[in-house]
Amino acid sequence: MASSSPNPVVAPSHIHALLDRLHEESSTQEAALGNYLSGTVSFDDQMRDKFIALDQDKCQFVYQLLRATNGKNVVEIGTSFGVSTIYLALAVGSNLEASGGEGKVIATEKEPSKAEKARAYWKEAGDELVTRHIDLRVGDLIETLKNDLPTVDLVLLDIWAPVALPALKLLEPKLRTGAVILVDNTIESATRYADLLAHLRAPENGYTNITLPYTKGLEMCVKV
Ligand SMILES: C[S@@+](CC[C@H](N)C(=O)[O-])C[C@H]1O[C@@H](n2cnc3c(N)ncnc32)[C@H](O)[C@@H]1O
């Protein structure tokens, strides 16, 4: 009996190879980083050349969820080198092809050098299947998300903790009923995400919540 988990992502082999390579590079970087963070260099400076990509199994789950919900308008809070964005774009592209309509992945990255690298990886994946579904907004997302937002089906929050709640609050007026909010690392970083989790879990704010038992946790919240 096969024991490996099936991969839901429908994509040509060169994209699977690219994704495997990028996840590998990200994991290698994180292992080398360990728990070491310099006290003399700023956090942003230390992270500028790091992927910190969403784990591959989580990316596959997000893809599968988007296919299941036919999500077409997605906001990615924290894009880095654009690994999770590739999954989002593939899912949105397939949903648009299957049932028509309009949609895109709004990606957000404040570091221009990271945005440039993300664009290069998306180009490698392919303009037709990936790049054309992405609207990358470079700069502080608190500014870049102020205007021109569609009604949102899914938000992936994969960002430094202090920015997470302000970002969600910017998007809240645009969330459709049934919109899904995913937040990474909510077990390991529960303390850092305390304000965000308190907001999502307060009954008056209208979300249902579950912590999925992926490594370090993945919160899945639904706007009801
Ligand atoms: C954890 S990484 C995102 C990883 C990405 N989702 C992936 O799977 O490849 C978070 C990114 O958010 C970016 N970021 C942090 N604060 C931001 C802000 N205020 N506006 C836009 N991007 C920001 C960081 O530069 C970093 O690259």
Side-chain angles (χ1 to χ4, degrees):
M1 193 169 66
S3 60
S4 63
S5 176
N7 180 353
V9 177
V10 178
S13 58
H14 79 276
I15 296 186
H16 284 294
L18 171 67
L19 291 170
D20 287 346
R21 189 184 97 218
L22 299 182
H23 282 292
E24 181 76 34
E25 283 183 42
S26 181
S27 302
T28 304
Q29 274 185 345
E30 281 192 46
L33 194 62
N35 289 326
Y36 176 75
L37 278 177
S38 163
T40 52
V41 182
S42 82
F43 184 71
D44 279 341
D45 283 347
Q46 291 177 74
M47 292 300 132
R48 195 161 293 122
D49 63 346
K50 307 289 185 303
F51 278 86
I52 341 151
L54 191 69
D55 293 344
Q56 193 159 16
D57 55 354
K58 294 175 181 172
C59 285
Q60 291 176 359
F61 170 74
V62 179
Y63 173 95
Q64 181 81 327
L65 183 63
L66 263 178
R67 297 303 314 274
T69 54
N70 201 23
K72 292 173 184 168
N73 281 294
V74 174
V75 181
E76 181 181 60
I77 300 296
T79 292
S80 189
F81 296 156
V83 179
S84 50
T85 332
I86 294 176
Y87 292 83
L88 300 173
L90 288 170
V92 164
S94 293
N95 289 342
L96 291 171
E97 194 182 320
S99 60
E102 293 188 350
K104 62 188 163 187
V105 179
I106 297 174
T108 57
E109 179 49 56
K110 71 175 179 178
E111 300 287 350
S113 61
K114 296 190 103 174
E116 200 180 315
K117 214 159 173 184
R119 282 203 179 98
Y121 290 134
W122 300 338
K123 191 157 193 57
E124 193 176 335
D127 290 341
E128 184 67 19
L129 287 174
V130 171
T131 314
R132 77 184 170 110
H133 299 300
I134 302 170
D135 165 7
L136 174 59
R137 301 188 183 183
V138 184
D140 184 348
L141 60 86
I142 298 302
E143 294 302 320
T144 63
L145 291 181
K146 270 188 180 152
N147 299 307
D148 199 16
L149 289 174
T151 301
V152 173
D153 299 309
L154 183 139
V155 179
L156 174 60
L157 277 159
D158 187 19
I159 188 87
W160 313 156
V163 194
L165 182 56
L168 177 64
K169 285 190 171 169
L170 262 182
L171 298 175
E172 274 182 328
K174 300 304 246 179
L175 297 178
R176 73 161 168 85
T177 301
V180 176
I181 317 295
L182 294 165
V183 191
D184 192 28
N185 283 341
T186 50
I187 294 175
E188 192 205 46
S189 299
T191 311
R192 275 185 280 157
Y193 281 123
D195 61 345
L196 174 73
L197 294 177
H199 179 85
L200 286 164
R201 292 170 182 174
E204 65 272 19
N205 290 331
Y207 296 95
T208 59
N209 302 275
I210 187 169
T211 306
L212 301 171
Y214 284 96
T215 306
K216 299 182 184 175
L218 182 70
E219 200 82 354
M220 177 179 165
C221 313
V222 178
K223 184 78 188 166
V224 290

